């Protein structure tokens, strides 16, 4: 208790270009452009990463715990980040993360190809929903819900090509954004965490959360609208938000309007 | 569906999600003529259908308010995308205790049978020996048949002196059951020291077409030697088990999971010679008093097979072989899988 988002998010500015697998993917997803549009990020290392994941997973299926633990190391930051943002509570998030990997280990035999991280995040999302259900639905905007008992530390990374000023502004705004994020309804928050923070396409988020693609689109747009308003109308950060908007120009930060590819693919399935 | 629409925006009042059907998205809210958040959000992601995208782009080019709205949404998304990842206070790698608790399901399932592994190994050996015995027996029976044909008609031609051991495997033995004294020696022969038993077997087969009395004598000698072989073979426990079990185990050859039965086999291990002797009372007694009756009486095994005729006996070899081979394959698979599990355990 007594420890709130603002304090926690006094971001440890590690302005290093990310190295290591988890951070590498993180950096890529940050520059990957509008992934929710269904366009795969064509980063060169991604195929290799996926192939490496697959190799490790096959070994894990043969019962090699060391290989599975290599997978854990590669993905634990992402899984933990998702759990923490969904559950907003560090001990619960750590438990959920551990449960996710235990579940993954016992279910590794039933993994049927595909990418490893979405599979892990699907398990994590289900686990988090279980926790949320068990908790009972808290008033989402209660400040109590935002209080943490222990302090997670955060590391912010510069998006490649970002100016130092934009980076600093973003770091400051992150504090407010986390707060607005924590106040979202659970379903919206889960969706926006997977779609915009983790950068998965609508279809992938739909597969992970088990809802229709149209529902995902709807939740994403609503959550974005809510977050935008929170940033824009909060007196503490609206100037920052405007400055950030000018610095990034919006377009540059998200890779510009989508091209023709992927447009047709997303039109077919919509809200029920 | 989501229950609460954002109440603040002048644009989100009509924001009921993505238009159904996906064909023609509602690009312009009728109220103020501006693009709604859903459309702008999809436009940002490039997820609008082409015609919708073009229409929206045209509106954006003309409308500064919608451009600003879109830019703010884009900034929000950029912020979200750049949110820092939390530091880990600890690692979530699984320790061996986790692995054991949760392990891959197939392994957990198999691991329950780990205690049966030694018994399963023994059973595999036993079945392998029985199969070898049956194979040799069949080979020899063929040989005898030819010999009998060559030397003229004899009693019930074609049934081998060693027919006692297929009785064990599957109850089809013919007249040769009478001289079953040779049977346990036979079944013991591959298991024990081959070098010593082989001459025995020779003499037994040699006596196959001989008069009954001499035949009985031959089996008696064999039986006399048999316990010696046995004692000698005691050095290898599995071998002893093989001898003892060969008569005992295969009568239930079709059982797919023989570990429970097999596990009982190593138990009566010391009693194996006794079992062998009990299975062949006809041979067991003559070993003490050599001049045995020419027809040493029917053993339980012989009586089992007593009903079948010579032809049935010949096909019985095949049946026994097939059954034993199938059993052996299953046992080998089980032993291999369990050994793998045990290796993993030790490593993990």
């Amino acid at each position: 208790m007594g420890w709130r988002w603002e304090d926690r998010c006094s971001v440890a500015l590690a302005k290093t270009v990310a190295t290591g697998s988890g951070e590498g993917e993180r950096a890529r997803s940050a520059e990957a452009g509008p992934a929710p549009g269904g366009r795969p990020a064509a980063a060169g290392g991604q195929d290799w990463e996926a192939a490496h994941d697959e190799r490790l997973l096959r070994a894990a299926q043969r019962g090699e715990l060391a290989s599975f633990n290599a997978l854990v190391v590669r993905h634990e930051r992402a899984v933990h980040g998702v759990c923490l943002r969904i559950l907003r509570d560090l001990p619960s998030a750590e438990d959920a993360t551990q449960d996710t990997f235990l579940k993954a280990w016992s279910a590794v035999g039933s993994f049927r190809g595909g990418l490893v991280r979405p599979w892990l995040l699907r398990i994590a999302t289900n686990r988090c929903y279980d926790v949320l259900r068990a908790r009972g639905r808290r008033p989402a905007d209660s400040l109590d819900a935002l209080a943490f008992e222990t302090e997670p530390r955060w590391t912010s990374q510069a998006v490649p090509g970002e100016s130092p000023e934009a980076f600093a502004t973003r770091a400051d705004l992150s504090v407010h954004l986390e707060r607005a994020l924590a106040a979202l309804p659970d379903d919206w928050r889960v969706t926006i965490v997977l779609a915009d923070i983790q950068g998965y396409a609508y279809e992938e988020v739909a597969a992970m959360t088990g809802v229709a693609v149209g529902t995902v689109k709807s939740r994403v747009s609503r959550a974005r609208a809510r977050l935008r308003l929170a940033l824009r109308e909060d007196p503490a950060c609206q100037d920052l938000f405007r400055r950030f908007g000018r610095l990034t120009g919006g377009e540059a930060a998200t890779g510009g309007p989508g091209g023709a590819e992927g447009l047709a693919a997303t039109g077919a399935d919509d809200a029920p | 569906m989501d229950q609460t629409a954002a109440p603040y925006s002048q644009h989100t009042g009509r924001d009921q999600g993505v238009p159904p059907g996906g064909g023609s998205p509602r690009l312009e809210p009728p109220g103020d003529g501006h693009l709604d958040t859903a459309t702008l959000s999809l436009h940002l992601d490039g997820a609008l259908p082409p015609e919708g995208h073009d229409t929206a782009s045209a509106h954006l080019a003309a409308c500064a308010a919608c451009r600003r709205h879109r830019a703010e949404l884009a900034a929000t998304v950029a912020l979200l995308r750049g949110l820092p990842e939390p530091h880990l206070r600890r690692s979530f790698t699984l320790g061996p205790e986790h692995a054991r608790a949760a392990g891959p399901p197939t392994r957990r399932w198999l691991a329950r049978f780990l205690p049966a592994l030694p018994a399963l190994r023994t059973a595999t050996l036993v079945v392998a020996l029985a199969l070898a015995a049956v194979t040799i027996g069949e080979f020899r029976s063929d040989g005898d048949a030819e010999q009998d044909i060559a030397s003229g008609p004899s009693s019930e031609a074609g049934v081998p002196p060693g027919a006692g051991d297929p009785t064990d495997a599957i109850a089809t033995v013919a007249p040769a059951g009478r001289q079953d004294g040779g049977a346990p020696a036979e079944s013991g022969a591959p298991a024990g020291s081959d070098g010593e038993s082989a001459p025995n077997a020779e003499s037994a087969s040699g006596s196959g077409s001989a008069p009954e009395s001499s035949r009985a004598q031959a089996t008696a000698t064999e039986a006399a030697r048999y316990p010696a072989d046995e004692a000698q073979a005691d050095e290898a426990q599995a071998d002893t088990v093989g001898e003892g079990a060969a008569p005992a185990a295969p009568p239930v050859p079709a059982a797919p999971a023989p570990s429970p039965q097999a596990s009982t086999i190593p138990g009566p291990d010391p009693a194996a010679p006794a079992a062998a002797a009990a299975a062949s009372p006809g041979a067991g007694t003559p070993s003490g008093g050599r001049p045995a009756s020419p027809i040493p009486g029917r053993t339980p095994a012989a009586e089992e097979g007593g009903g079948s005729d010579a032809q049935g006996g010949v096909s019985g070899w095949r049946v026994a072989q097939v059954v034993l081979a199938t059993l052996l394959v299953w046992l080998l698979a089980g032993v291999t899988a369990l050994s793998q599990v045990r290796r993993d355990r030790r490593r993990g």
Side-chain angles (χ1 to χ4, degrees):
Chain A
M1 282 306 275
W3 186 82
R4 297 179 184 286
W5 279 93
E6 296 94 300
D7 312 324
R8 175 168 45 80
C9 299
S10 55
V11 176
L13 300 178
K15 192 176 179 177
T16 48
V17 174
T19 53
S21 65
E23 290 148 283
E25 283 180 43
R26 174 81 192 150
R28 265 199 309 283
S29 78
E31 66 180 330
R39 292 186 295 161
Q46 223 152 34
D47 286 346
W48 187 87
E49 295 284 346
H52 189 48
D53 273 353
E54 173 125 13
R55 267 198 303 279
L56 289 172
L57 197 108
R58 298 287 165 229
Q61 284 178 329
R62 291 192 298 271
E64 288 179 21
L65 185 60
S67 300
F68 184 80
N69 277 336
L71 279 177
V72 173
V73 169
R74 287 163 67 77
H75 300 289
E76 60 186 351
R77 280 169 61 91
V79 170
H80 177 250
V82 165
C83 290
L84 182 61
R85 288 209 166 87
I86 293 176
L87 297 176
R88 298 163 290 153
D89 165 40
L90 189 55
S92 304
E94 288 181 341
D95 288 349
T97 307
Q98 189 70 75
D99 289 349
T100 298
F101 286 118
L102 280 172
K103 177 87 197 308
W105 170 244
S106 62
V108 76
S110 61
F111 179 83
R112 296 272 172 271
L115 293 173
V116 171
R117 183 171 288 191
W119 174 65
L120 288 172
L121 289 182
R122 186 173 66 235
I123 296 172
T125 307
N126 287 334
R127 181 73 202 128
C128 288
Y129 267 122
D130 290 345
V131 173
L132 289 175
R133 266 194 295 273
R135 239 185 221 176
R137 211 154 268 240
R138 286 188 193 181
D141 50 0
S142 141
L143 280 181
D144 276 353
L146 312 182
F148 278 58
E149 288 174 14
T150 36
E151 175 181 4
R153 303 210 318 281
W154 305 73
T155 307
S156 187
Q157 281 134 20
V159 173
E162 189 179 39
S163 73
E165 194 193 355
F167 177 69
T169 311
R170 189 163 61 81
D172 288 345
L173 274 172
S174 296
V175 178
H176 300 278
L177 184 61
E178 293 278 9
R179 202 145 71 104
L181 201 56
L184 288 177
D186 289 339
D187 286 336
W188 297 14
R189 193 171 61 257
V190 169
T191 310
I192 203 79
V193 162
L194 294 173
D196 276 351
I197 299 183
Q198 292 296 324
Y200 284 105
Y202 291 131
E203 290 78 7
E204 290 172 302
V205 176
M208 284 185 235
T209 54
V211 299
V213 176
T215 309
V216 172
K217 289 179 181 173
S218 160
R219 287 176 182 172
V220 165
S221 83
R222 285 160 187 238
R224 283 175 180 173
R226 178 79 67 89
L227 295 174
R228 162 187 167 254
L229 282 163
L231 293 173
R232 182 188 140 94
E233 288 169 10
D234 182 348
C237 68
Q238 55 192 1
D239 291 342
L240 274 176
F241 186 52
R242 270 190 219 112
R243 186 164 3 127
F244 182 72
R246 278 198 303 278
L247 284 168
T248 60
E251 294 288 330
T254 55
E261 75 271 27
L263 292 188
T266 54
D269 32 16
D270 264 327
Chain B
M1 247 347 230
D2 306 314
Q3 61 283 39
T4 46
Y8 326 100
S9 168
Q10 70 273 24
H11 289 322
T12 49
R14 318 264 319 179
D15 192 1
Q16 297 305 318
V18 186
S24 57
R26 187 179 55 231
L27 295 182
E28 320 234 349
D32 51 12
H34 289 300
L35 299 175
D36 64 12
T37 311
T39 308
L40 285 173
S41 181
L42 290 172
H43 186 266
L44 202 59
D45 295 334
L48 285 172
E51 68 274 24
H53 187 86
D54 294 344
T55 318
S57 298
H59 178 89
L60 281 169
C63 174
C66 282
R67 260 204 313 281
R68 202 161 47 243
H69 186 176
R70 184 187 186 282
E72 284 178 4
L73 279 178
T76 306
V77 172
L79 280 171
L80 285 167
R81 201 89 25 114
L83 276 182
E85 291 230 335
H87 261 300
L88 299 180
R89 289 196 304 180
R90 63 186 182 92
S91 170
F92 295 98
T93 50
L94 305 185
E97 69 285 352
H98 287 133
R100 255 193 290 283
T106 52
R107 312 235 163 230
R108 258 182 303 162
W109 179 83
L110 270 177
R112 283 188 297 158
F113 296 97
L114 262 186
L117 179 56
L120 210 58
R121 282 192 171 143
T122 310
T124 309
L125 189 66
V126 167
V127 172
L129 292 174
L131 182 60
V134 168
T135 308
I136 291 172
E138 186 204 25
F139 185 71
R140 295 241 330 269
S141 85
D142 287 351
D144 282 351
E146 283 165 25
Q147 205 178 348
D148 285 342
I149 289 164
S151 66
S154 78
S155 54
E156 294 273 344
V159 184
D165 48 11
T167 4
D168 307 322
I170 197 142
T172 45
V173 176
R178 273 175 289 180
Q179 46 144 173
D180 49 28
E186 283 277 329
S187 70
S193 46
D194 289 335
E196 262 215 76
S197 311
N200 277 2
E202 271 321 306
S203 72
S205 80
S207 72
S209 54
E212 291 253 83
S213 56
S214 78
R215 207 193 291 172
Q217 195 145 5
T219 54
T221 357
E222 232 173 69
R225 266 203 221 190
Y226 175 56
D229 277 349
E230 186 106 0
Q232 207 174 328
D234 259 358
E235 89 234 347
Q237 184 209 15
D239 287 358
T240 335
V241 171
E243 289 174 50
V252 281
S259 52
Q261 287 148 331
S263 64
T264 64
I265 293 171
D269 187 10
S280 57
T285 39
S287 73
R290 192 151 296 197
S293 67
I295 301 170
R298 291 175 178 248
T299 68
E303 271 175 355
E304 273 180 37
S308 60
D309 58 7
Q311 283 79 11
V314 172
S315 77
W317 290 112
R318 284 268 168 241
V319 173
Q321 264 183 324
V322 168
V323 168
L324 284 174
T326 312
L327 187 57
L328 188 61
V329 167
W330 276 98
L331 282 170
L332 279 176
V335 166
T336 311
L338 279 179
S339 305
Q340 174 80 37
V341 169
R342 195 167 68 169
R343 216 168 21 246
D344 291 347
R345 294 254 152 154
R346 290 207 174 130
R347 214 170 16 184

